Amino acid sequence: MLVLLPPSEGKAASGRGAPLKPEALALPGLADAREAVLTELVELCAGDEEKAREVLGLSEGLRGEVAKNVELRTAGARPAGEIYTGVLYDALDLASLDSAAKRRAARSLLVFSGLWGAVRVTDRIPSYRCSMGVKLPGLGALGTYWRTPMAAVLPEAAGDGLVLDLRSAAYAAAWKPKGEIAARTASVRVLHAPTRKVVSHFNKATKGRIVRSLLTTGSAPEGPAELVVALRDLGYTVEEKAPARAGAAWTLDVLVEEIH
């Protein structure tokens, strides 16, 4: 099973240990694309601060994020699972998983990123600010930029099992499973049952809990249909929509009554 996650907007501070080692990151086929984004981002932030803030979509209160990006090559690095914070990652709570569940997380979780393309939760990275919605002057919109390198690398990472897609729209734009991979991909929405609407905070927290439940129970559904059964066994109310045509993904709606 491969689980595709969005990153978090907010991130923990970089560590005090060794700096980034790009060659040590998972998915080495993305190395050249990562280097291009990293180089342009650092140069952008080392130049005109106001321009960098505008490109990155940062408010006045987040001005410090520009300076942080300047130090990306020398700042201490930490496992991505510690860098990414926020609602989904709070609910997932990787640090409290037992050893077996942590091993499953290391194998199965893939976090998409405007800067790195995608990383494993065990990959050591510095804290940064660069969303997939950013349009860098030299590379253009990152959601578009990443499509070609992702298309070359992700099919192998997906293997022959279930792909559980929990990404937001901006990050889903970077790689869309196709063909037989799409047929074993399940895209999940979390809906507030009484209103049938997506509530952002609630949606992220529930997705984090779903991933945690799958990791702690050792559940390994082989495809979308088996995932529906697994989620129902875990107590979730699920409505599934099988693809209407070949080469399309499944859509699963998880309905939850209480918003918390």
Side-chain angles (χ1 to χ4, degrees), residues 8-55:
S8 58
E9 189 81 0
K11 298 173 183 69
S14 294
R16 295 187 177 183
L20 171 73
K21 295 181 179 179
E23 70 279 6
L25 297 179
L27 307 179
L30 299 178
D32 289 345
R34 286 170 176 153
E35 178 60 28
V37 178
L38 178 60
T39 296
E40 181 162 354
L41 181 61
V42 170
E43 290 179 355
L44 170 70
C45 292
D48 185 330
E49 184 180 88
E50 291 305 314
K51 178 181 178 181
R53 201 157 60 84
E54 180 181 355
V55 169

Side-chain angles (χ1 to χ4, degrees), residues 3-260:
V3 182
L4 310 180
L5 297 174
S8 58
E9 189 81 0
K11 298 173 183 69
S14 294
R16 295 187 177 183
L20 171 73
K21 295 181 179 179
E23 70 279 6
L25 297 179
L27 307 179
L30 299 178
D32 289 345
R34 286 170 176 153
E35 178 60 28
V37 178
L38 178 60
T39 296
E40 181 162 354
L41 181 61
V42 170
E43 290 179 355
L44 170 70
C45 292
D48 185 330
E49 184 180 88
E50 291 305 314
K51 178 181 178 181
R53 201 157 60 84
E54 180 181 355
V55 169
L56 297 175
L58 301 177
S59 66
E60 175 66 30
L62 294 173
R63 182 180 294 273
E65 299 293 289
V66 175
K68 182 167 69 175
N69 282 348
V70 175
E71 307 297 330
L72 285 172
R73 295 187 186 277
T74 57
R78 297 169 62 181
E82 297 177 12
I83 290 290
Y84 295 118
T85 59
V87 177
L88 188 154
Y89 292 91
D90 284 347
L92 174 54
D93 196 7
L94 287 167
S96 70
L97 294 175
D98 63 31
S99 297
K102 285 180 178 177
R103 288 193 295 271
R104 296 183 194 107
R107 291 194 304 266
S108 62
L109 304 188
L110 197 63
V111 185
F112 275 60
S113 162
L115 173 53
W116 314 114
V119 292
R120 300 286 186 183
V121 292
T122 50
D123 283 338
R124 296 182 64 85
I125 59 174
S127 185
Y128 67 96
R129 192 64 171 238
C130 184
S131 73
M132 193 66 80
V134 165
K135 185 176 182 180
L136 291 175
L139 298 178
L142 290 177
T144 301
Y145 169 81
W146 280 111
R147 287 175 189 168
T148 297
M150 289 289 198
V153 171
L154 266 293
E156 181 179 354
D160 58 4
L162 168 70
V163 177
L164 174 54
D165 191 352
L166 302 178
R167 297 172 295 169
S168 55
Y171 291 90
W175 182 61
K176 184 178 181 181
K178 297 180 179 179
E180 63 87 18
I181 300 178
R184 48 187 168 86
T185 296
S187 179
V188 174
R189 300 189 305 173
V190 179
L191 303 181
H192 181 218
T195 63
R196 310 289 296 191
K197 292 181 178 179
V198 175
V199 180
S200 180
H201 180 283
F202 180 50
N203 171 59
K204 294 174 183 177
T206 303
K207 286 180 177 178
R209 294 187 193 105
I210 286 173
V211 176
R212 182 179 177 86
S213 294
L214 293 172
L215 293 173
T216 55
T217 61
S219 180
E222 296 181 358
E226 293 79 7
L227 175 63
V228 172
V229 174
L231 292 178
R232 287 174 177 162
D233 287 346
L234 289 168
Y236 291 99
T237 300
V238 183
E239 295 178 352
E240 73 269 35
K241 183 178 180 181
R245 57 179 175 79
W250 287 56
T251 299
L252 306 186
D253 286 343
V254 176
L255 307 179
V256 188
E257 294 286 338
E258 297 180 2
I259 298 179
H260 57 87

